[in-house]
Amino acid sequence: NNYDDPSSTSSQYDDADNANNTINQSPSRNKNLPPIIDDCTELDRARRVEIAESHGLVYDEVHGVESILHALTPRERTLLADDNMPLRHYRAEKGNLKEAIRKIKCTLKWREDFQVE
């Protein structure tokens, strides 16, 4: 790159702008995305268990997801983005079921208020 040559700098910015425009002009997001693959390693899971236990919680993903789904109303369940949403919230809260339920309910209310599909 020749930084003293103004035309080369301009060209670099034009290329970046063209790349951004290409990305921004892409078709709307594909609604038929492939299912989420659970790429959680044993190390990640072990760390979540350790964090949960350090806060006096029991980390059990199956029980956590079942509990979250049980806490949702039928209407709220229709607003779930996908089947993995409760698991993502449970994992994000490191087994804190009360917080996972509170946050997923807030998220679902936001999705409803803003009519997110």
Side-chain angles (χ1 to χ4, degrees):
N1 289 340
N2 183 355
Y3 293 107
D4 295 330
D5 180 6
S7 66
S8 80
T9 305
S10 172
S11 174
Q12 290 170 348
Y13 290 127
D14 291 342
D15 291 342
D17 287 343
N18 289 337
N20 288 337
N21 287 338
T22 302
I23 293 169
N24 292 334
Q25 292 174 0
S26 65
S28 63
R29 293 185 182 196
N30 184 354
K31 293 184 182 185
N32 298 319
L33 296 174
I36 293 175
I37 296 171
D38 185 359
D39 59 355
C40 179
T41 65
E42 280 303 309
L43 180 60
D44 294 335
R45 186 182 185 295
R47 181 69 180 134
R48 283 192 201 84
V49 169
E50 181 184 328
I51 292 169
E53 288 176 352
S54 74
H55 293 343
L57 303 168
V58 175
Y59 189 86
D60 179 345
E61 289 182 349
V62 173
H63 178 275
V65 169
E66 288 172 352
S67 297
I68 290 170
L69 290 172
H70 181 72
L72 300 178
T73 66
R75 173 72 181 138
E76 287 171 328
R77 282 188 224 123
T78 67
L79 299 170
L80 291 171
D82 56 55
D83 293 339
N84 293 311
M85 194 173 181
L87 177 59
R88 286 194 303 273
H89 276 77
Y90 186 76
R91 285 179 175 174
E93 294 308 317
K94 312 295 187 287
N96 185 334
L97 191 53
K98 185 177 178 180
E99 274 302 293
I101 291 170
R102 185 185 71 76
K103 288 185 178 180
I104 198 168
K105 284 181 167 281
C106 289
T107 300
L108 295 173
K109 174 148 180 33
W110 178 87
R111 290 178 62 82
E112 183 175 42
D113 290 348
F114 288 91
Q115 301 173 356
V116 176
E117 293 182 12

